[in-house]
Amino acid sequence: MQFHHHGYVTGDPRVLPASGTGLDRPDDLPDEVDVLVVGAGPAGVILAAQLGMYPGVTTRLVERRAGRLEIGQADGIQARSNETFQAFGFANRIIEEAFQLRAMNFWAVTPDHPDGIVRTQRTVDDPDGVSEFPHMIVNQARVLDYFQEYAAHSPARLTPDYGWELVGLQVADDGAFPVAVRLRRSVGAVVGHREYEEGEERVVHARYVVGCDGAHSAVRAAIGRRLEGDDAMHAWAVMDALTVTDFPDIRTKCAIQSPHGSILLIPREGGYLYRMYVDLGETDESNRGTVRRTTMEAAVERANEIVRPYHLDVRHIAWSSVYEVAHRLTDKFDDVPAELTGTRTPRVFIAGDACHTHSAKAGQGMNVSMQDGWNLAWKLGQVLTGLSPESLLDTYSGERWQIAKDLIEFDGEWSTLMTRSPEELDPAELAAFYVATAEFPAGFMTRYEPSMITGDAAHQGLATGFPIGKRFRSAPVRRVADFYDEHLGHHHRADGRWRLYAFADAAAPGEPSALTAWADWLAGSPDSPVQRFTPAGADLDALFDVKVVYQQPHDQVDLGVVPPVFLPRVGPYGLLDYEKVYAADPERGDVFDLRGIDRARGAVVVVRPDQYVAHVLPLTATDELTAFLGRHLLPVEGRGSYMIR
């Protein structure tokens, strides 16, 4: 964590100095905003947290609840989400309070044990080590808390505006704030110097609106989008319970199958609580109403039938629900008809459950929703600060729709397997599917196709372990200045910057090489992206965080011969940033070997603000690097006045 570069910090360094809209932020909603986010769920709060780092942008987050969410429906946190939490500065804190899933056990009735379930298989949760972060369980409300803390501590000092629900919106053909949003007070309250009555309405005008308001999204309805798909015609009871039991795996994730149905059992944080999804059987139009009225007492009774010969003595239920699986998806995630994409700027977006729904058992809803929000947030930030053209916003729906479609297909297969009877499904088949597809639910199968922000694979061979379009997979390195053992990706903060990782060629540090030529060009050439796109008067690394990783051990890298672009001067005092120069760490794993980097030629790995690899290029491909970044970044001289403050 870096601070003091703007002067000595005496308090919590996570509370950044207020600037821009954060200096005099009104308590009440202004009449005009740049971005209005509707709904403070996972997608909404990550949008707010990221946009809070753009204090020149007026962002407001409205939520119909009267205050903080106290208990959330979602609880599964995949490793990809923990990588995201690291960027927002709270991964370690939330990991400490979460339950970490290390294994999954499978139980079923077998021919040798026809009278009750037995454990048939144990599996490791992440057998291939796809991430250094764990798969874990924690209440959604705590995730929201951490993102809201980040937003409140950001330069924009962004906090939710509780007690507002969207009634409708209209998009005008022109105007600086073309979206007229009608809001209604869901609860009466005194906000600032004004007293609102419940039901009172007002209109706010926005440049952009993002609907993160759930499966029954009013924003989605207002732009004429619909969730299309099928019900699985299968019902489940879900409960968070405190239980005394003789079932030996109560603190291990389990898939349980018996002739009486199935249970997915997931331990929760705190050491005592667990979540249980209880199979209530197939539904049709004749019994749907009855199934939806299933009591938790009846669900517990059914659970006890499933787990025989064991017994569940449920002492307390903290939260419960009965639901039917539905796999639904909208045809697009913004307000522009498909045939007009590229000819009209999107003004209204939807994210999370507002545009895709699926079962909870794959643990994807909250995780995918957060990636929706982050994908869109930095793009809005770049457009609204004049860094990028509005055409960048077309990539949000284009990228995230395919990811949601893939998720729904995966979830449909997993949900179907979970509901098959022991006669239809060999227990080993379910376990094999879980192991074989582990990378998908972990969040690591997302791969964006070539676009204005994702390059082609012409030079992928230079760094085979950093697939273009997939998330930047971190690796251990050693920081040269202080011999600190670091994970390279952990230095990637949610600050809106692009990352340029220069992996050195084989020459010794300081010797003439492709790396030194690239570094000199990047710092000094008017054609380099640093010179062409960095805001005037900003620090050298304000837009591009440029790091170098040498092949030689750290004690063979002399900072005195490292090119200046890797030791930029920052802040009002022009202090040197020493945290951009790294060496391979053979003791923990050499990044050049781990990620298949060409030792003879080195490589440049370009990473987007949301941690996805945008391109892999040779150190000699300087013109190609500028041309690629120029697809979505505007030259300094071509920008308007609406800049980062």
Side-chain angles (χ1 to χ4, degrees), residues 304-319:
N304 272 295
E305 292 178 344
I306 294 171
V307 301
R308 284 189 312 195
Y310 304 102
H311 180 68
L312 302 170
D313 179 8
V314 176
R315 302 291 179 87
H316 174 70
I317 296 176
W319 172 82

Side-chain angles (χ1 to χ4, degrees), residues 62 65 68 108 116 143 161 179 235 247 259 266 325 374 410 470 513 545:
V62 296
R65 294 192 308 269
R68 170 189 177 270
V143 176
D161 294 289
V179 189
F247 180 65
I266 305 174
V325 176
W374 199 10
F410 168 83
K470 297 189 75 172
S513 64
D545 179 16

Side-chain angles (χ1 to χ4, degrees), residues 405-421:
K405 181 175 181 293
D406 293 344
L407 165 61
I408 286 172
E409 291 175 354
F410 168 83
D411 183 64
E413 189 171 359
W414 173 247
S415 298
T416 299
L417 287 173
M418 280 294 298
T419 57
R420 287 168 64 180
S421 69

Side-chain angles (χ1 to χ4, degrees), residues 5 11 16 57 59 90 143 151 247 270 272 276 305 315 349 356 358 361-362 379 458 461 464 480 491 502 539 573 600:
H5 52 297
L16 302 179
V57 176
T59 303
F90 62 84
V143 176
F247 180 65
Y272 303 97
M276 181 167 57
E305 292 178 344
R315 302 291 179 87
F349 307 87
H356 47 77
H358 33 83
K361 292 182 294 302
K379 295 172 182 177
T464 57
V480 171
H491 212 253
D539 288 341
Y573 300 107

Side-chain angles (χ1 to χ4, degrees), residues 321-375:
S321 181
V322 174
Y323 73 97
E324 294 175 79
V325 176
H327 300 107
R328 296 196 178 101
L329 177 67
T330 60
D331 59 338
K332 207 163 179 283
F333 293 0
D334 62 38
D335 64 328
V336 178
E339 65 273 14
L340 296 180
T341 299
T343 66
R344 202 183 89 192
T345 299
R347 291 293 174 181
V348 183
F349 307 87
I350 48 178
D353 287 353
C355 44
H356 47 77
T357 63
H358 33 83
S359 82
K361 292 182 294 302
Q364 292 297 297
M366 174 167 51
N367 297 275
V368 174
S369 294
M370 289 186 291
Q371 296 305 316
D372 287 350
W374 199 10
N375 182 289

